[in-house]
Amino acid sequence: MGLEEQRDVETDVYQPAEDSQLLADAVCERLEGAERVLEVGTGSGFVAGRIADETDARVIASDLNPHAVRQARGEGVEAVRADLVSPFRDGSFDAVAFNPPYLPTDPENEWDDWMEHALSGGEDGRAVIDPFLEAVGRVLAPDGVVYLLVSSLTGVDGVVERAGEEGFSAVAVADESFPFETLTVLKLFR
């Protein structure tokens, strides 16, 4: 079944799309050994599952959405319900991957359901990215890296600048252009 047909299979969980593929490819190509990897906002578990299948990494996934956690577990992914990185110990991951909700959304048009949480990034598209950047450093091992997917709709430069305020350097390691946006995977490191 192609990605297109899968989109409406499970309405409460974000299903893998082009952004998921791009992030999974970028992370799988860059992991070197038995790293401990956290995927935040795992959704269906697609990215975490690919990392677990294609690398020697030990992968844990988290999502705020209980339906997503259930679906990811059903795919064999070790998933826990969590808000971003809150329950994890300091310094416990060598890499953190995140495909955040990044679509800028007019507050007048917000609706409260799980798909909204999976897609909406608030007015500037960064309502989830900014708190993630504030929190993620705590759970990274000393040489840990973050792979963050960002859309041109959100403004990559603004995200890089915000990451800099949290002590991260950023380099774009992958991107893909679509008619309405360009998706970029940023590697953040200290």
Side-chain angles (χ1 to χ4, degrees):
M1 181 165 24
L3 293 178
E4 295 73 32
E5 298 97 46
Q6 276 179 14
R7 295 235 166 126
D8 25 323
V9 172
E10 170 67 84
T11 53
D12 284 330
V13 179
Y14 184 76
Q15 298 305 310
E18 293 76 9
D19 49 2
S20 317
Q21 304 268 29
L22 186 67
L23 182 60
D25 290 346
V27 176
C28 288
E29 283 164 19
R30 284 167 183 80
L31 292 177
E32 281 158 13
E35 289 104 329
R36 291 159 306 164
V37 178
L38 170 66
E39 189 204 1
V40 174
T42 194
S44 66
F46 172 83
V47 174
R50 272 207 42 205
I51 296 169
D53 291 347
E54 295 177 26
T55 72
D56 293 327
R58 160 93 198 278
V59 185
I60 293 182
S62 71
D63 204 298
L64 189 59
N65 178 347
H67 307 286
V69 171
R70 201 165 44 240
Q71 186 175 341
R73 284 180 183 158
E75 299 293 325
V77 171
E78 193 174 334
V80 294
R81 185 170 186 205
D83 187 3
L84 299 175
V85 299
S86 54
F88 302 107
R89 282 203 308 272
D90 292 7
S92 44
F93 295 102
D94 302 302
V96 176
F98 189 25
N99 176 6
Y102 55 73
L103 294 177
T105 313
D106 177 344
E108 304 294 305
N109 295 334
E110 294 245 354
W111 62 99
D112 193 27
D113 66 13
W114 287 115
M115 278 316 281
E116 173 74 22
H117 286 290
L119 298 170
S120 170
E123 267 184 284
D124 60 1
R126 298 205 338 237
V128 181
I129 294 173
D130 289 351
F132 169 77
L133 290 172
E134 276 167 41
V136 69
R138 182 186 64 76
V139 299
L140 283 178
D143 295 329
V145 296
V146 175
Y147 295 98
L148 179 66
L149 188 126
V150 185
S151 163
S152 54
L153 299 173
T154 311
V156 177
D157 292 346
V159 173
V160 168
E161 195 176 310
R162 186 73 190 80
E165 291 166 13
E166 296 298 336
F168 289 104
S169 300
V171 56
V173 292
D175 54 41
E176 194 170 350
S177 292
F178 298 96
F180 303 106
E181 66 179 336
T182 298
L183 298 175
T184 299
V185 177
L186 293 175
K187 177 181 176 182
L188 307 179
F189 54 95
R190 288 183 287 206

